[in-house]
Short mmCIF file of all heavy atoms in Angstrom, two decimals:
data_model
loop_
_atom_site.label_atom_id
_atom_site.label_comp_id
_atom_site.label_asym_id
_atom_site.label_seq_id
_atom_site.Cartn_x
_atom_site.Cartn_y
_atom_site.Cartn_z
N LYS A 64 -12.14 4.11 -13.95
CA LYS A 64 -11.95 5.29 -13.09
C LYS A 64 -12.56 5.02 -11.66
O LYS A 64 -11.97 5.42 -10.67
CB LYS A 64 -12.62 6.52 -13.69
CG LYS A 64 -11.90 7.06 -14.95
CD LYS A 64 -12.57 8.30 -15.46
CE LYS A 64 -11.86 8.83 -16.68
NZ LYS A 64 -12.47 10.04 -17.27
N LEU A 65 -13.67 4.32 -11.63
CA LEU A 65 -14.32 4.00 -10.32
C LEU A 65 -13.36 3.01 -9.56
O LEU A 65 -13.10 3.24 -8.34
CB LEU A 65 -15.62 3.38 -10.51
CG LEU A 65 -16.36 3.01 -9.22
CD1 LEU A 65 -17.78 3.49 -9.20
CD2 LEU A 65 -16.29 1.56 -8.92
N HIS A 66 -12.79 2.01 -10.24
CA HIS A 66 -11.93 1.09 -9.54
C HIS A 66 -10.64 1.81 -9.08
O HIS A 66 -10.11 1.54 -8.02
CB HIS A 66 -11.50 -0.04 -10.47
CG HIS A 66 -12.55 -1.07 -10.65
ND1 HIS A 66 -13.17 -1.80 -9.59
CD2 HIS A 66 -13.17 -1.59 -11.79
CE1 HIS A 66 -14.06 -2.62 -10.06
NE2 HIS A 66 -14.09 -2.52 -11.36
N ALA A 67 -10.14 2.69 -9.92
CA ALA A 67 -8.91 3.43 -9.50
C ALA A 67 -9.19 4.30 -8.30
O ALA A 67 -8.25 4.41 -7.47
CB ALA A 67 -8.48 4.33 -10.72
N HIS A 68 -10.39 4.77 -8.13
CA HIS A 68 -10.76 5.61 -6.97
C HIS A 68 -10.94 4.81 -5.69
O HIS A 68 -10.49 5.12 -4.61
CB HIS A 68 -11.99 6.43 -7.25
CG HIS A 68 -12.42 7.32 -6.12
ND1 HIS A 68 -11.76 8.41 -5.74
CD2 HIS A 68 -13.54 7.23 -5.32
CE1 HIS A 68 -12.38 9.03 -4.75
NE2 HIS A 68 -13.49 8.25 -4.44
N LEU A 69 -11.66 3.63 -5.81
CA LEU A 69 -12.11 2.88 -4.69
C LEU A 69 -11.21 1.76 -4.29
O LEU A 69 -11.14 1.36 -3.11
CB LEU A 69 -13.51 2.37 -4.89
CG LEU A 69 -14.63 3.38 -4.98
CD1 LEU A 69 -16.02 2.68 -5.18
CD2 LEU A 69 -14.68 4.21 -3.62
N SER A 70 -10.54 1.15 -5.27
CA SER A 70 -9.76 -0.07 -4.93
C SER A 70 -8.69 0.06 -3.84
O SER A 70 -8.45 -0.85 -3.04
CB SER A 70 -9.17 -0.75 -6.21
OG SER A 70 -8.23 0.12 -6.76
N PRO A 71 -7.97 1.23 -3.79
CA PRO A 71 -6.97 1.39 -2.70
C PRO A 71 -7.59 1.30 -1.32
O PRO A 71 -6.99 0.96 -0.33
CB PRO A 71 -6.36 2.77 -2.97
CG PRO A 71 -6.55 3.03 -4.36
CD PRO A 71 -7.93 2.39 -4.69
N MET A 72 -8.88 1.62 -1.19
CA MET A 72 -9.59 1.60 0.10
C MET A 72 -9.86 0.21 0.59
O MET A 72 -10.18 0.04 1.75
CB MET A 72 -10.90 2.42 0.06
CG MET A 72 -10.66 3.89 -0.35
SD MET A 72 -12.22 4.79 -0.43
CE MET A 72 -11.71 6.20 -1.32
N VAL A 73 -9.80 -0.79 -0.28
CA VAL A 73 -9.99 -2.19 0.15
C VAL A 73 -8.69 -3.00 -0.10
O VAL A 73 -8.78 -4.23 -0.19
CB VAL A 73 -11.18 -2.83 -0.57
CG1 VAL A 73 -12.49 -2.15 -0.21
CG2 VAL A 73 -10.99 -2.76 -2.12
N GLY A 74 -7.56 -2.28 -0.17
CA GLY A 74 -6.32 -3.06 -0.17
C GLY A 74 -5.78 -3.43 -1.55
O GLY A 74 -5.00 -4.35 -1.65
N ASN A 75 -6.25 -2.80 -2.61
CA ASN A 75 -5.83 -3.12 -3.94
C ASN A 75 -5.56 -1.84 -4.69
O ASN A 75 -6.05 -0.79 -4.36
CB ASN A 75 -6.85 -3.94 -4.71
CG ASN A 75 -7.03 -5.36 -4.26
OD1 ASN A 75 -6.29 -6.24 -4.65
ND2 ASN A 75 -7.87 -5.56 -3.24
N VAL A 76 -4.76 -1.98 -5.75
CA VAL A 76 -4.54 -0.86 -6.67
C VAL A 76 -4.95 -1.29 -8.03
O VAL A 76 -4.53 -2.37 -8.53
CB VAL A 76 -3.09 -0.45 -6.65
CG1 VAL A 76 -2.81 0.59 -7.71
CG2 VAL A 76 -2.67 0.08 -5.26
N TYR A 77 -5.73 -0.45 -8.74
CA TYR A 77 -6.13 -0.75 -10.11
C TYR A 77 -5.16 -0.18 -11.02
O TYR A 77 -5.09 1.09 -11.17
CB TYR A 77 -7.56 -0.21 -10.37
CG TYR A 77 -8.27 -0.90 -11.50
CD1 TYR A 77 -8.84 -2.12 -11.32
CD2 TYR A 77 -8.41 -0.29 -12.73
CE1 TYR A 77 -9.52 -2.75 -12.38
CE2 TYR A 77 -9.00 -0.85 -13.79
CZ TYR A 77 -9.55 -2.10 -13.64
OH TYR A 77 -10.25 -2.75 -14.61
N ALA A 78 -4.34 -0.99 -11.67
CA ALA A 78 -3.27 -0.49 -12.52
C ALA A 78 -3.79 0.01 -13.83
O ALA A 78 -4.81 -0.38 -14.33
CB ALA A 78 -2.24 -1.63 -12.71
N PRO A 79 -3.04 0.82 -14.53
CA PRO A 79 -3.48 1.35 -15.83
C PRO A 79 -3.73 0.31 -16.87
O PRO A 79 -4.54 0.50 -17.78
CB PRO A 79 -2.24 2.26 -16.33
CG PRO A 79 -1.63 2.61 -15.08
CD PRO A 79 -1.75 1.47 -14.09
N ASP A 80 -3.04 -0.88 -16.77
CA ASP A 80 -3.29 -1.95 -17.71
C ASP A 80 -4.55 -2.74 -17.39
O ASP A 80 -4.76 -3.81 -17.95
CB ASP A 80 -2.09 -2.87 -17.82
CG ASP A 80 -1.73 -3.57 -16.53
OD1 ASP A 80 -2.45 -3.34 -15.50
OD2 ASP A 80 -0.80 -4.39 -16.47
N GLN A 81 -5.30 -2.27 -16.35
CA GLN A 81 -6.58 -2.84 -15.95
C GLN A 81 -6.41 -4.20 -15.26
O GLN A 81 -7.31 -5.02 -15.26
CB GLN A 81 -7.50 -2.96 -17.17
CG GLN A 81 -7.79 -1.65 -17.82
CD GLN A 81 -8.59 -1.67 -19.09
OE1 GLN A 81 -9.19 -2.75 -19.40
NE2 GLN A 81 -8.68 -0.56 -19.83
N GLN A 82 -5.26 -4.45 -14.70
CA GLN A 82 -5.02 -5.66 -13.89
C GLN A 82 -5.13 -5.29 -12.38
O GLN A 82 -4.90 -4.13 -12.07
CB GLN A 82 -3.65 -6.22 -14.19
CG GLN A 82 -3.44 -6.67 -15.63
CD GLN A 82 -4.35 -7.91 -15.95
OE1 GLN A 82 -4.49 -8.82 -15.24
NE2 GLN A 82 -4.95 -7.84 -17.12
N ILE A 83 -5.56 -6.23 -11.61
CA ILE A 83 -5.60 -5.95 -10.12
C ILE A 83 -4.34 -6.52 -9.52
O ILE A 83 -4.01 -7.70 -9.76
CB ILE A 83 -6.82 -6.65 -9.56
CG1 ILE A 83 -8.09 -6.25 -10.31
CG2 ILE A 83 -6.93 -6.34 -8.07
CD1 ILE A 83 -8.37 -4.78 -10.23
N ARG A 84 -3.58 -5.70 -8.79
CA ARG A 84 -2.39 -6.18 -8.13
C ARG A 84 -2.38 -5.76 -6.67
O ARG A 84 -3.03 -4.68 -6.31
CB ARG A 84 -1.16 -5.63 -8.82
CG ARG A 84 -1.05 -4.12 -8.80
CD ARG A 84 0.28 -3.67 -9.45
NE ARG A 84 0.40 -2.25 -9.52
CZ ARG A 84 0.71 -1.45 -8.50
NH1 ARG A 84 0.96 -1.93 -7.32
NH2 ARG A 84 0.76 -0.15 -8.65
N PRO A 85 -1.82 -6.51 -5.78
CA PRO A 85 -1.76 -6.11 -4.38
C PRO A 85 -0.95 -4.85 -4.16
O PRO A 85 -0.08 -4.51 -4.94
CB PRO A 85 -1.08 -7.31 -3.65
CG PRO A 85 -1.21 -8.43 -4.68
CD PRO A 85 -1.21 -7.79 -6.04
N THR A 86 -1.22 -4.14 -3.10
CA THR A 86 -0.41 -3.03 -2.67
C THR A 86 0.85 -3.52 -2.06
O THR A 86 1.00 -4.74 -1.82
CB THR A 86 -1.13 -2.16 -1.66
OG1 THR A 86 -1.29 -2.88 -0.46
CG2 THR A 86 -2.52 -1.75 -2.13
N THR A 87 1.79 -2.61 -1.81
CA THR A 87 3.04 -3.05 -1.17
C THR A 87 2.81 -3.55 0.21
O THR A 87 3.67 -4.26 0.74
CB THR A 87 4.01 -1.81 -1.16
OG1 THR A 87 3.35 -0.71 -0.53
CG2 THR A 87 4.46 -1.41 -2.50
N GLN A 88 1.68 -3.20 0.83
CA GLN A 88 1.39 -3.74 2.12
C GLN A 88 1.31 -5.25 2.19
O GLN A 88 1.52 -5.90 3.22
CB GLN A 88 0.10 -3.11 2.77
CG GLN A 88 0.27 -1.65 3.08
CD GLN A 88 -1.01 -1.08 3.63
OE1 GLN A 88 -2.13 -1.26 3.03
NE2 GLN A 88 -0.99 -0.39 4.70
N LYS A 89 0.99 -5.81 1.08
CA LYS A 89 0.94 -7.30 0.97
C LYS A 89 2.27 -7.94 1.22
O LYS A 89 2.37 -9.09 1.54
CB LYS A 89 0.37 -7.74 -0.38
CG LYS A 89 -1.02 -7.23 -0.70
CD LYS A 89 -2.05 -7.92 0.18
CE LYS A 89 -3.46 -7.51 -0.22
NZ LYS A 89 -4.52 -8.07 0.63
N ASP A 90 3.38 -7.13 0.98
CA ASP A 90 4.69 -7.60 1.15
C ASP A 90 5.21 -7.52 2.60
O ASP A 90 6.27 -8.03 2.89
CB ASP A 90 5.67 -6.88 0.22
CG ASP A 90 5.40 -7.06 -1.22
OD1 ASP A 90 4.95 -8.18 -1.61
OD2 ASP A 90 5.56 -6.12 -2.03
N PHE A 91 4.40 -6.86 3.46
CA PHE A 91 4.86 -6.57 4.89
C PHE A 91 5.27 -7.86 5.59
O PHE A 91 6.26 -7.85 6.34
CB PHE A 91 3.81 -5.84 5.61
CG PHE A 91 3.84 -4.34 5.30
CD1 PHE A 91 4.60 -3.79 4.27
CD2 PHE A 91 3.04 -3.47 5.99
CE1 PHE A 91 4.59 -2.43 4.02
CE2 PHE A 91 3.03 -2.09 5.70
CZ PHE A 91 3.81 -1.61 4.72
N PRO A 92 4.54 -9.02 5.47
CA PRO A 92 4.94 -10.18 6.23
C PRO A 92 6.37 -10.63 5.96
O PRO A 92 6.96 -11.33 6.78
CB PRO A 92 3.97 -11.22 5.80
CG PRO A 92 2.73 -10.45 5.38
CD PRO A 92 3.27 -9.18 4.73
N ARG A 93 6.95 -10.24 4.82
CA ARG A 93 8.29 -10.63 4.44
C ARG A 93 9.36 -9.59 4.92
O ARG A 93 10.52 -9.82 4.62
CB ARG A 93 8.40 -10.91 2.95
CG ARG A 93 7.51 -12.14 2.51
CD ARG A 93 7.84 -12.47 1.09
NE ARG A 93 7.41 -11.43 0.17
CZ ARG A 93 6.22 -11.38 -0.38
NH1 ARG A 93 5.35 -12.34 -0.03
NH2 ARG A 93 5.84 -10.47 -1.20
N LEU A 94 8.90 -8.54 5.50
CA LEU A 94 9.82 -7.45 5.92
C LEU A 94 9.93 -7.40 7.43
O LEU A 94 9.13 -7.87 8.15
CB LEU A 94 9.28 -6.13 5.41
CG LEU A 94 9.07 -5.95 3.97
CD1 LEU A 94 8.41 -4.59 3.66
CD2 LEU A 94 10.35 -6.09 3.16
N ASP A 95 11.10 -6.92 7.88
CA ASP A 95 11.26 -6.72 9.34
C ASP A 95 10.53 -5.48 9.76
O ASP A 95 10.14 -4.64 8.96
CB ASP A 95 12.74 -6.78 9.76
CG ASP A 95 13.57 -5.63 9.16
OD1 ASP A 95 13.02 -4.59 8.89
OD2 ASP A 95 14.73 -5.86 8.96
N GLU A 96 10.39 -5.29 11.10
CA GLU A 96 9.59 -4.15 11.61
C GLU A 96 10.23 -2.84 11.19
O GLU A 96 9.52 -1.89 10.84
CB GLU A 96 9.59 -4.26 13.15
CG GLU A 96 8.59 -3.35 13.76
CD GLU A 96 7.30 -4.00 14.02
OE1 GLU A 96 6.79 -4.83 13.20
OE2 GLU A 96 6.64 -3.78 15.11
N ALA A 97 11.55 -2.71 11.20
CA ALA A 97 12.23 -1.44 10.86
C ALA A 97 11.93 -1.08 9.42
O ALA A 97 11.71 0.06 9.10
CB ALA A 97 13.71 -1.57 11.03
N ALA A 98 11.84 -2.06 8.47
CA ALA A 98 11.58 -1.79 7.15
C ALA A 98 10.14 -1.29 6.93
O ALA A 98 9.88 -0.42 6.12
CB ALA A 98 11.81 -3.04 6.22
N ILE A 99 9.22 -1.89 7.62
CA ILE A 99 7.81 -1.47 7.55
C ILE A 99 7.66 -0.09 8.06
O ILE A 99 6.96 0.80 7.40
CB ILE A 99 6.90 -2.48 8.35
CG1 ILE A 99 6.96 -3.87 7.71
CG2 ILE A 99 5.43 -1.91 8.41
CD1 ILE A 99 6.18 -4.87 8.55
N ILE A 100 8.31 0.22 9.24
CA ILE A 100 8.25 1.57 9.78
C ILE A 100 8.79 2.62 8.81
O ILE A 100 8.22 3.69 8.64
CB ILE A 100 8.95 1.63 11.14
CG1 ILE A 100 8.13 0.82 12.16
CG2 ILE A 100 9.15 3.08 11.56
CD1 ILE A 100 8.92 0.64 13.49
N SER A 101 9.87 2.25 8.12
CA SER A 101 10.45 3.14 7.14
C SER A 101 9.52 3.33 5.95
O SER A 101 9.39 4.41 5.42
CB SER A 101 11.78 2.53 6.64
OG SER A 101 12.37 3.33 5.60
N MET A 102 8.85 2.28 5.46
CA MET A 102 7.96 2.36 4.32
C MET A 102 6.76 3.25 4.67
O MET A 102 6.27 4.01 3.83
CB MET A 102 7.53 0.98 3.88
CG MET A 102 8.62 0.20 3.23
SD MET A 102 7.99 -1.43 2.65
CE MET A 102 6.89 -0.95 1.30
N LEU A 103 6.28 3.16 5.91
CA LEU A 103 5.14 4.00 6.33
C LEU A 103 5.59 5.43 6.73
O LEU A 103 4.75 6.26 7.00
CB LEU A 103 4.50 3.36 7.46
CG LEU A 103 3.73 2.04 7.17
CD1 LEU A 103 3.18 1.39 8.46
CD2 LEU A 103 2.60 2.29 6.16
N ASP A 104 6.87 5.66 6.70
CA ASP A 104 7.46 6.98 7.05
C ASP A 104 7.09 7.38 8.44
O ASP A 104 6.80 8.57 8.73
CB ASP A 104 6.97 8.02 6.08
CG ASP A 104 7.94 9.23 5.98
OD1 ASP A 104 9.03 9.16 6.59
OD2 ASP A 104 7.57 10.23 5.35
N LEU A 105 7.15 6.44 9.40
CA LEU A 105 6.94 6.71 10.81
C LEU A 105 8.16 7.13 11.50
O LEU A 105 9.23 6.54 11.35
CB LEU A 105 6.28 5.54 11.51
CG LEU A 105 4.99 4.95 10.92
CD1 LEU A 105 4.48 3.75 11.72
CD2 LEU A 105 3.90 6.02 10.96
N GLN A 106 8.13 8.17 12.34
CA GLN A 106 9.22 8.72 13.03
C GLN A 106 8.97 8.77 14.51
O GLN A 106 7.84 8.85 14.96
CB GLN A 106 9.54 10.15 12.51
CG GLN A 106 9.75 10.24 11.03
CD GLN A 106 9.87 11.72 10.55
OE1 GLN A 106 9.68 12.65 11.35
NE2 GLN A 106 10.15 11.87 9.29
N PRO A 107 10.03 8.76 15.33
CA PRO A 107 9.88 8.81 16.79
C PRO A 107 9.10 10.13 17.12
O PRO A 107 9.32 11.20 16.47
CB PRO A 107 11.27 8.86 17.32
CG PRO A 107 12.11 8.21 16.25
CD PRO A 107 11.48 8.60 14.97
N LEU A 108 8.31 10.02 18.16
CA LEU A 108 7.42 11.22 18.55
C LEU A 108 8.27 12.27 19.21
O LEU A 108 8.83 12.09 20.29
CB LEU A 108 6.33 10.71 19.50
CG LEU A 108 5.36 11.76 20.03
CD1 LEU A 108 4.59 12.34 18.84
CD2 LEU A 108 4.50 11.27 21.09
N THR A 109 8.35 13.46 18.67
CA THR A 109 9.00 14.63 19.26
C THR A 109 7.97 15.79 19.29
O THR A 109 8.19 16.61 20.23
CB THR A 109 10.24 15.02 18.44
OG1 THR A 109 9.91 15.33 17.10
CG2 THR A 109 11.30 13.93 18.47
N LYS A 110 7.08 15.83 18.44
CA LYS A 110 6.03 16.85 18.42
C LYS A 110 4.84 16.43 19.15
O LYS A 110 4.05 15.56 18.69
CB LYS A 110 5.67 17.23 16.94
CG LYS A 110 6.85 17.56 16.04
CD LYS A 110 7.45 18.91 16.36
CE LYS A 110 8.53 19.23 15.34
NZ LYS A 110 9.16 20.58 15.67
#
């Protein structure tokens, strides 16, 4: 439970099977800028 709470804060996710796996952010170097922006749900500033 402690790992599940804290591991996302240091770039990891503690999975239910008790394995450590990277977050999807680790895949960002293989994505183009538009895909990353979409994954982060960033939108042009209107507000």
Side-chain angles (χ1 to χ4, degrees):
K64 291 179 178 179
L65 182 134
H66 284 305
H68 179 71
L69 291 180
S70 64
M72 301 181 195
V73 294
N75 288 273
V76 173
Y77 201 78
D80 61 1
Q81 301 175 13
Q82 297 294 317
I83 305 298
R84 62 176 175 80
T86 67
T87 53
Q88 288 180 313
K89 299 292 186 181
D90 297 324
F91 280 8
R93 295 189 290 274
L94 301 175
D95 62 30
E96 193 95 320
I99 296 173
I100 290 172
S101 176
M102 290 181 69
L103 293 175
D104 204 9
L105 300 179
Q106 303 174 353
L108 180 68
T109 59
K110 306 288 187 181

